[in-house]
Amino acid sequence: MTSSTDESVAPAGRAERRRDRRKAEMIVAALQILSGVGYQGMRFEDVAERSDIAKATLYHYFPSKDALVSAALEKLTSDVLTHLSKALDAASTLSATEQLRDLIAEQLRVLTVLYPEVGKLFSFPAPWPEQHSESIKTMRRRHDRIFREVIDGGIASGEFDCPDPSVALHCLHGILNHASIWLRPDADPEGRTRDAVVEQSLRLFTRPQTIAT
């Protein structure tokens, strides 16, 4: 016999999943709009329209534009770090060069397949309000820490020849963010252009080959 408690839990669980899906759709819409018009140009009604909901419903989930932006940035950070951490864990027994290659490839996948709007968002950053600028800095630090640990390990082992790792890392992100704008996975089904971007990016850190004369 099914208890009344079991019967009440199932609908509650379904309702919660529906809320989570609806919330995720709003966050995706917010990121898409942010990448197109920036923080200043983002309007609540535009997010509601793109999510196909009433503006009042959006307010039910997020009491303000800043609450929605904060949730979107945190969700983005969490997802990106999860993907990068999984890629690094899978390459944990490999050399620093192979670990960095896998990280770069995964970052490109995130930017071109999972979150194609994010590259534009950070390639041409518009001014952010003070309440968000610090969280964005924290987001970047958390993100860069994953790459920096691999880079520092490669320098220590002699695999990488990188006089200024911080500058090289900034250059790497510039390459990947801009590549994500013009790199189209559907036009490159074999991934040759993607692989070329990865290999060129690695040259920021690896020792140049000596050319025999």
Side-chain angles (χ1 to χ4, degrees):
M1 178 180 296
T2 303
S3 67
S4 59
T5 301
D6 292 337
E7 292 173 351
S8 62
V9 167
R14 287 194 295 271
E16 184 175 353
R17 288 193 294 273
R18 283 196 299 270
R19 285 194 297 269
D20 289 344
R21 286 195 299 270
R22 180 64 62 86
K23 192 172 183 179
E25 291 169 359
M26 297 172 192
I27 287 174
V28 169
L31 286 171
Q32 291 171 343
I33 293 172
L34 282 169
S35 70
V37 298
Y39 174 87
Q40 300 299 335
M42 175 182 159
R43 301 185 307 166
F44 238 40
E45 49 264 45
D46 293 334
V47 177
E49 181 178 353
R50 185 165 298 200
S51 304
D52 195 25
I53 59 172
K55 187 176 178 180
T57 302
L58 183 58
Y59 274 111
H60 176 72
Y61 286 85
F62 300 101
S64 68
K65 170 181 171 177
D66 287 316
L68 174 56
V69 170
S70 293
L73 292 175
E74 181 54 39
K75 179 65 165 58
L76 172 64
T77 303
S78 177
D79 284 357
V80 171
L81 292 181
T82 296
H83 286 290
L84 292 177
S85 296
K86 287 181 178 179
L88 187 57
D89 287 344
S92 60
T93 60
L94 304 178
S95 67
T97 300
E98 292 303 318
Q99 289 180 26
L100 185 56
R101 177 180 283 110
D102 287 354
L103 274 181
I104 293 172
E106 184 62 15
Q107 180 76 49
L108 264 183
R109 189 177 79 88
V110 167
L111 291 172
T112 59
V113 177
L114 303 180
Y115 287 103
E117 64 276 357
V118 173
K120 187 184 297 183
L121 182 62
F122 290 103
S123 291
F124 308 102
W128 290 85
E130 186 62 31
Q131 67 189 96
H132 296 302
S133 61
E134 188 56 41
S135 64
I136 290 174
K137 291 177 184 177
T138 300
M139 167 184 172
R140 285 173 170 156
R141 284 194 293 267
R142 290 166 62 190
H143 176 271
D144 288 355
R145 193 176 300 124
I146 295 177
F147 282 84
R148 189 59 186 265
E149 289 177 358
V150 175
I151 293 167
D152 288 345
I155 293 173
S157 67
E159 287 183 59
F160 298 160
D161 182 16
C162 186
D164 193 327
S166 296
V167 170
L169 190 54
H170 279 300
C171 290
L172 172 63
H173 292 324
I175 291 171
L176 298 182
N177 286 338
H178 280 278
S180 71
I181 296 173
W182 55 263
L183 190 62
R184 295 289 178 265
D186 55 345
D188 183 34
E190 295 183 1
R192 292 179 181 176
T193 305
R194 177 204 60 212
D195 293 344
V197 172
V198 172
E199 294 307 316
Q200 289 294 327
S201 299
L202 274 174
R203 294 190 179 190
L204 290 167
F205 306 95
T206 53
R207 294 180 180 276
Q209 298 295 317
T210 300
I211 300 176
T213 57

